[in-house]
Amino acid sequence: MATSASSKDDWADIFLSAALEPEKWGQAIHAMAQATGSRHGQLIGFGAGASAFNWISEIDDSILAKSASIEQSAPDLNFRVAADRLPDRPAIVHEAHYDIARRSLRADDYLDLCSDFDIFDGCQSKLVASDHQMIGLALLRGSKDGRTTEGQRALFADIAGHARTAVRLQQAIEQQGFALLAGTFEAMDRACWLLDATGRVGGMTPRAENLLSTSRIRVSDGWLASDRADETRAILRAVRTVIEPPGRAADPVALADADGGVAIMLEFYPLPVRPWALPFAPRAIAIARVGAPSDRHVQLLTRTFRLTPAEADIAIRLAAGQSRPDIAAARGVSAATLKVQLRSIYDKTGCQRESQLVRIVGLISH
């Protein structure tokens, strides 16, 4: 059912409802399009990784797949992005600015998209802008709609103010999830980092914060990293795995100690994503296990070297620096049984010395 509005109070209510019940964003941008005589309303976000989203009212869903193949945030491809970067451009960018921006495009990919879906004209405004992210509101108009009039742009400007307030409210609500989840993990006494839709750290537990000052793990420009380039690359690969759709658990990343063993095991898991969620909510969790075996690391070793789960557990404990007596005690086996199991591990991995085994275990997840 369409939503209509006739006053500022109506628009405030429509967008307040969208912030509190995000599934109503579709109704809100559809009402905006109707009120301005436009074919479509759009709420769009650009950013690193999976923070990008594109919600368009009343349009063929195939546009999402086609637009995904275009680098929409590139100003030399997308004239709407280029128009927003023009000097002295107003708060509401419109067709006059699009005309200028189209002259400097290096390819016709986005122009072809606009032609296919008849969305050449319209106007737009930024709602949120930062170094890492932009969320914008737009009208997309077809050939029958014509160019926006001054009156339509004035109404759009008023609506954009309400939409901006709604986005900020939803941002505040979603970011509360970081505090709530961090509190839960704090109670579990875990070193945990919560990642947003860009993959950046949005919150952490006290134990995780302490680990930043006592280990090689660090947060650089919001990203979880190590002071070793190879480990940082492995971390970023794992982050992409849990953040990018469909979002799945990543293979653990082992951070080596000075001797090449496993000092810290980082595990990455995606969180459920609500439909119509903006990029501010927690999207993934990174958990550090210090000197402890990892179930997923055990699975990696069993797949790679055909170790039994018990053998993989022993190999990880050995690589984490645990002594043979401690491993035997933890496993509940005798020293003789442990010796037999270690011999089998060496045979399966092709190692001749303990130091070789430690290095293999430490680097297997890279």
Side-chain angles (χ1 to χ4, degrees), residues 39 79-80 108-120 143:
R39 191 172 184 185
F79 63 82
R80 286 182 164 90
D108 294 338
D109 299 30
Y110 185 71
L111 291 173
D112 292 341
L113 179 77
C114 292
S115 178
D116 290 343
F117 292 91
D118 191 18
I119 51 171
F120 267 110
S143 53

Side-chain angles (χ1 to χ4, degrees), residues 251-252 296-307 312:
D251 288 335
R296 289 187 60 80
H297 201 201
V298 167
Q299 294 169 13
L300 272 177
L301 290 171
T302 57
R303 291 199 308 264
T304 305
F305 298 108
R306 298 185 182 279
L307 300 183

Side-chain angles (χ1 to χ4, degrees), residues 43-219:
L43 187 71
I44 189 167
F46 292 125
S51 66
F53 65 92
N54 190 3
W55 302 336
I56 305 175
S57 67
E58 302 296 315
I59 200 164
D60 190 322
D61 289 343
S62 64
I63 192 174
L64 300 179
K66 291 184 179 181
S67 60
S69 65
I70 302 172
E71 191 180 352
Q72 288 199 80
S73 61
D76 55 353
L77 288 179
N78 187 332
F79 63 82
R80 286 182 164 90
V81 174
D84 197 62
R85 298 187 179 187
L86 292 174
D88 301 321
R89 57 115 180 95
I92 306 301
V93 174
H94 55 90
E95 293 91 348
H97 308 97
Y98 298 163
D99 292 342
I100 298 171
R102 289 190 187 107
R103 300 170 190 166
S104 58
L105 299 182
R106 63 177 167 85
D108 294 338
D109 299 30
Y110 185 71
L111 291 173
D112 292 341
L113 179 77
C114 292
S115 178
D116 290 343
F117 292 91
D118 191 18
I119 51 171
F120 267 110
D121 293 326
C123 60
Q124 65 195 55
S125 181
K126 287 182 179 179
L127 302 183
V128 172
S130 69
D131 292 339
H132 308 306
Q133 189 176 83
M134 188 283 294
I135 295 178
L137 188 72
L139 298 176
L140 304 180
R141 295 169 68 88
S143 53
K144 292 183 179 179
D145 303 329
R147 294 193 166 205
T148 54
T149 65
E150 186 174 343
Q152 288 168 335
R153 291 195 294 272
L155 176 56
F156 174 76
D158 180 59
I159 294 172
H162 297 293
R164 182 176 295 106
T165 299
V167 167
R168 289 174 177 168
L169 175 59
Q170 190 168 337
Q171 176 182 11
I173 293 170
E174 290 186 351
Q175 288 181 335
Q176 283 298 309
F178 285 103
L180 293 172
L181 281 174
T184 300
F185 276 80
E186 181 180 350
M188 295 171 63
D189 193 27
R190 288 288 184 267
C192 161
W193 293 267
L194 294 165
L195 311 180
D196 64 17
T198 70
R200 289 178 170 83
V201 174
M204 69 184 77
T205 62
R207 189 168 176 182
E209 188 171 5
N210 180 64
L211 204 56
L212 295 180
S213 61
T214 59
S215 73
R216 289 209 310 279
I217 301 175
R218 54 192 171 85
V219 175

Side-chain angles (χ1 to χ4, degrees), residues 291-342:
S294 156
D295 289 341
R296 289 187 60 80
H297 201 201
V298 167
Q299 294 169 13
L300 272 177
L301 290 171
T302 57
R303 291 199 308 264
T304 305
F305 298 108
R306 298 185 182 279
L307 300 183
T308 67
E311 290 170 345
D313 182 77
I314 290 168
I316 293 174
R317 290 179 183 274
L318 192 68
Q322 294 186 25
S323 67
R324 294 192 183 196
D326 287 343
I327 294 174
R331 297 285 308 167
V333 300
S334 66
T337 298
L338 180 63
K339 186 175 181 179
V340 171
Q341 290 174 312
L342 283 171

